[in-house]
Amino acid sequence: MTQDAVKNTTSSGNLQIVTAIKVLDYAFILGHSSHIVSKKEQQYWHRVFRFYTQGFYDFAIITFKELSGISLIPSKIPKNLIEDCLAELKELGDIAILKRFVEVAYHENAKCSFNKGKYRIEFPPNISAIELIETRSQAWLRDYLLSCSNIQSFMDMAHVLLPKTRLLENGIYDEPLLQNLYTNIASAFSETRIGFDYYDPEARFGNVDFKSYRQVVNELIAFATLQQDLYLLNFQKNKMAQTELNFISPIISKKLLIDFLAQRLKLTTTVINQVIETITLNIQKINANIFPPGYAAPILVAINSYQVQLHLTACLTNPYIYLHRCLRFHCKNDYVDAAANREERFKSDVYACFTSPVLKVKTNFVIKDQKKNKTDVDAILYHQREQILVFIQLKWMEDWATDMRLRRNMKTEFERKINLWLDVVDNYLKNENLEELNQRLRLKGVNKTTKVYKLIIGKHFTHFDGINRKTENIYLNWANLFKLLVDYPKCKSSLLHFIQKAKNINIYQEAETLAKAMPDTTFKVGSTEVKLSRPKPTGP
């Protein structure tokens, strides 16, 4: 971006931020809506959303100003400002993507070359494939959970009322019945999002429990979903032009929003105010640079000291990931306590997946090997008739956003801990009389014929690279475990059946097959062409 462009951008207050949010929300809505625009146009706007949103936080760093008083935002954004905003978001998005790939290349030992204006990055064959597979598994789990909810019935009822509701430019809808329906729609959606279960509902951040944070975010999701659906309904009727962005990404009085949420959720305005302050992107968060390029979009953005703008894209994609990082920024001292019991909750979730005659050991089980290394077994399953004992290690990995250095460090530490756990358990089992486990685990029937397996289950951002893969070791992320139990219900009550099916899940073989079919990707940053490629298979 040129110095002139920066000067022109920063001299007009926060109208640029307002425009950027409206443009990205427009791209998100049209890019994810079938039968509204042509397939070609939908693909165009989906690409705009995917790539341009990568540069939003850098755009905010350049343009955002802390303002007092109420901003006079024009009802119709000038066309030239929209075009300039799109151009700047594209440029910053391209730079952010290139930066990320360069960092991936560095931390994944990729081969890089630059020749005649063309920059080439050759990745190890399975890097992108493994992440694509895990992303797909998360998407499957999300869709499955939504299919099990009542969301469709609420949507059907809501869509009967939508034609009778006036689309607002700004402000808050006063339609209690419609709001209740969309709150239920948002609740089903929320429970499928990563980050929703990061903490106990009672965990406190500041003087507010996590349940209250989730309630507020859920209401904002409901508001965003209602605004999106009304916009699409009116878009179909009137074919709104790209410049008609006044009916998207509403600007709301902060006091009005706080009073509305307090009344609706039966919470005090003090509690609501703390939540709103925590989740609003403002000058403090921007200066702290806590959101790397491409991170989950901000739910609310401070336009000035009295008004906030609702970012529909944030509410309809990864709102709880954004909330998580805001909580860590605002309540650093509370985070450790809030995250302390994740494994206990994870254990309860895993145990709920299995039914009788599978036994679930409730006893805390700590072991030492001959080298005095100490570890705990997070969960244990046992089937007496089948003589199968399963030691389970539960791993919870938080998002690394787009910070590739953090990503590599977290994965390395993650792998180190898993391999250490496996070594300690293996050494322990070599020297332990299995029959004595009956007493320690309060079981009956464990003996020399009992087959012991080690199962590592990862939740959220877990990638099992660099792990000791032996026949007795099984690795599943939460989505894969859930899908296995849905596809093969017998696994819930038979560990023998479960082990057989779990061994068939081999993400590495699937990644190798997928990687061979993945095409090279080429894009431009300014005049520089960037090509992302993978080594071609050798041999016959």
Side-chain angles (χ1 to χ4, degrees), residues 145-368:
L145 292 175
L146 281 174
S147 71
C148 296
S149 70
N150 294 324
I151 189 171
Q152 190 58 52
S153 61
F154 292 125
M155 290 174 67
D156 291 341
M157 288 186 282
H159 288 171
V160 172
L161 299 176
L162 282 179
K164 306 172 186 177
T165 307
R166 184 171 66 89
L167 177 63
L168 297 180
E169 289 189 39
N170 298 303
I172 293 175
Y173 292 95
D174 186 19
E175 303 285 346
L177 179 57
L178 199 58
Q179 289 166 350
N180 290 340
L181 289 171
Y182 273 94
T183 294
N184 288 320
I185 292 170
S187 295
F189 172 89
S190 289
E191 291 176 9
T192 69
R193 298 291 103 176
I194 291 179
F196 180 81
D197 62 349
Y198 266 19
Y199 314 101
D200 261 347
E202 296 78 21
R204 302 193 73 80
F205 291 89
N207 297 316
V208 178
D209 57 40
F210 187 55
K211 178 182 178 181
S212 298
Y213 282 99
R214 291 201 309 201
Q215 286 179 296
V216 171
V217 171
N218 193 76
E219 283 302 308
L220 294 175
I221 293 170
F223 191 115
T225 309
L226 170 58
Q227 187 77 12
Q228 171 194 244
D229 290 354
L230 274 174
Y231 185 82
L232 287 173
L233 181 65
N234 284 269
F235 186 91
Q236 285 181 290
K237 288 181 179 179
N238 306 322
K239 276 294 178 181
M240 295 178 177
Q242 179 185 333
T243 53
E244 296 182 64
L245 299 177
N246 48 312
F247 290 102
I248 204 167
S249 320
I251 296 171
I252 308 168
S253 158
K254 190 158 60 172
K255 184 181 185 307
L256 177 64
L257 180 61
I258 290 171
D259 290 342
F260 168 79
L261 291 172
Q263 181 180 13
R264 184 154 178 78
L265 298 175
K266 310 302 181 189
L267 297 171
T268 67
T269 55
T270 301
V271 167
I272 299 296
N273 184 65
Q274 180 174 323
V275 176
I276 295 299
E277 287 297 320
T278 300
I279 65 175
T280 298
L281 182 68
N282 53 25
I283 194 66
Q284 289 76 29
K285 292 187 182 72
I286 291 173
N287 288 342
N289 198 22
I290 62 172
F291 303 110
Y295 194 70
I299 298 171
L300 294 171
V301 178
I303 302 306
N304 51 58
S305 55
Y306 297 97
Q307 295 171 300
V308 292
Q309 184 176 17
L310 182 66
H311 198 345
L312 306 191
T313 298
C315 295
L316 302 174
T317 51
N318 295 304
Y320 293 98
I321 291 294
Y322 173 79
L323 168 63
H324 161 66
R325 187 154 288 205
C326 289
L327 289 173
R328 292 198 66 173
F329 174 71
H330 277 272
C331 310
K332 297 180 180 68
N333 296 332
D334 295 324
Y335 165 75
V336 175
D337 292 338
N341 73 335
R342 282 180 179 171
E343 287 182 356
E344 193 62 35
R345 289 186 291 116
F346 195 179
K347 176 180 177 178
S348 297
D349 291 341
V350 171
Y351 277 176
C353 292
F354 294 89
T355 59
S356 179
V358 175
L359 296 177
K360 309 153 193 180
V361 176
K362 302 294 178 64
T363 308
N364 292 328
F365 191 52
V366 179
I367 60 177
K368 291 182 181 179

Side-chain angles (χ1 to χ4, degrees), residues 363-405:
T363 308
N364 292 328
F365 191 52
V366 179
I367 60 177
K368 291 182 181 179
D369 64 10
Q370 300 302 306
K371 300 177 183 177
K372 304 300 181 183
N373 292 314
K374 182 179 178 181
T375 191
D376 58 348
V377 180
D378 295 326
I380 299 175
L381 300 174
Y382 176 58
H383 197 299
Q384 185 175 2
R385 180 173 56 80
E386 295 174 344
Q387 278 302 295
I388 292 177
L389 187 68
V390 182
F391 284 2
I392 302 175
Q393 173 78 342
L394 304 174
K395 301 304 295 183
W396 188 303
M397 195 167 178
E398 291 184 3
D399 72 292
W400 51 67
T402 54
D403 186 332
M404 294 300 113
R405 183 189 299 270

Side-chain angles (χ1 to χ4, degrees), residues 527-538:
S527 60
T528 303
E529 182 178 290
V530 182
K531 185 173 185 179
L532 312 175
S533 63
R534 294 160 191 83
K536 303 304 178 186
T538 57

Side-chain angles (χ1 to χ4, degrees), residues 35 80 108 160 177 217 278 427 467 473 491:
H35 312 302
N80 67 317
E108 298 292 352
V160 172
L177 179 57
V217 171
T278 300
N427 291 335
I467 306 294
N473 303 337
C491 292

